[in-house]
């Protein structure tokens, strides 16, 4: 999926005003997701996300994943976007369901294997919980 296609999908699913808002939300969600994943998993995911959006998935110096649940994920997204937790939940769903559509099935399964069961719903895949 190309950069513009990815953001158009996020914008449509999240019902954002414009592409800039969709990009800001995407970067916030990716930033939080990167802290939750092992470095190699984040790198593999970044390889399937269009540039420059994938920059937020690069772990930098972080090698270990931070263990936190879904509610903390939403709280961190809300903190980065300045939104309320319910809005952050919708933001995460818009971005991560787009990720699920953009990456290979094998990559999605690998990604979800590193996350607690509740995360699958954020990716629009509750059956994988």
């Amino acid at each position: 999926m190309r950069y513009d296609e990815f953001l158009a999908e996020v914008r449509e699913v999240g019902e954002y005003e414009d592409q800039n808002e969709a990009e800001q939300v995407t970067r916030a969600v990716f930033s939080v997701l990167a802290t939750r994943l092992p470095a190699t998993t984040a790198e593999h995911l970044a390889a399937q996300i269009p540039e420059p959006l994938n920059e937020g998935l690069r772990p930098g110096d972080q090698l270990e994943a931070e263990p936190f649940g879904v509610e903390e994920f939403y709280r961190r997204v809300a903190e980065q976007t300045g939104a309320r937790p319910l809005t952050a939940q919708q933001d995460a769903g818009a971005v991560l369901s787009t990720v699920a559509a953009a990456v290979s099935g094998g990559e999605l399964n690998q990604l979800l294997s590193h996350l607690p069961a509740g995360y699958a719903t954020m990716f629009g895949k509750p059956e994988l919980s």
Side-chain angles (χ1 to χ4, degrees), residues 23 25 43 52 68-69 71 73 80-81 85 87 101-102 104:
E23 183 171 357
V25 168
E43 285 286 338
F68 55 84
E71 292 305 316
F73 189 96
Q80 287 202 20
T81 61
T87 302
S104 70

Side-chain angles (χ1 to χ4, degrees), residues 21 25 36 39 42 47-48 53 80 86 88-89 109 113 120 126:
E21 185 179 9
V25 168
R36 184 60 186 85
Q48 293 194 28
L53 293 173
Q80 287 202 20
L86 182 57
Q89 183 176 351
N109 288 338
S113 75

Side-chain angles (χ1 to χ4, degrees), residues 22-120:
E23 183 171 357
Q24 289 172 346
V25 168
T26 299
R27 290 183 183 279
V29 171
F30 282 173
S31 174
V32 175
L33 182 61
T35 64
R36 184 60 186 85
L37 296 173
T40 55
T41 302
E43 285 286 338
H44 289 140
L45 177 59
Q48 293 194 28
I49 299 298
E51 293 182 0
L53 293 173
N54 63 1
E55 292 168 1
L57 292 166
R58 306 281 182 204
D61 294 338
Q62 178 184 327
L63 297 177
E64 297 292 320
E66 289 183 44
F68 55 84
V70 172
E71 292 305 316
E72 177 63 11
F73 189 96
Y74 295 146
R75 189 197 67 73
R76 290 181 184 204
V77 170
E79 186 177 276
Q80 287 202 20
T81 61
R84 291 182 298 209
L86 182 57
T87 302
Q89 183 176 351
Q90 294 166 339
D91 292 342
V95 174
L96 297 178
S97 65
T98 303
V99 166
V103 302
S104 70
E107 181 59 38
L108 182 60
N109 288 338
Q110 178 69 18
L111 172 65
L112 290 173
S113 75
H114 290 284
L115 299 169
Y119 278 74

Side-chain angles (χ1 to χ4, degrees), residues 8-25:
E9 180 71 17
V10 171
R11 181 179 177 192
E12 182 179 323
V13 173
E15 299 179 357
Y16 300 112
E17 187 173 314
D18 56 31
Q19 185 169 320
N20 288 335
E21 185 179 9
E23 183 171 357
Q24 289 172 346
V25 168

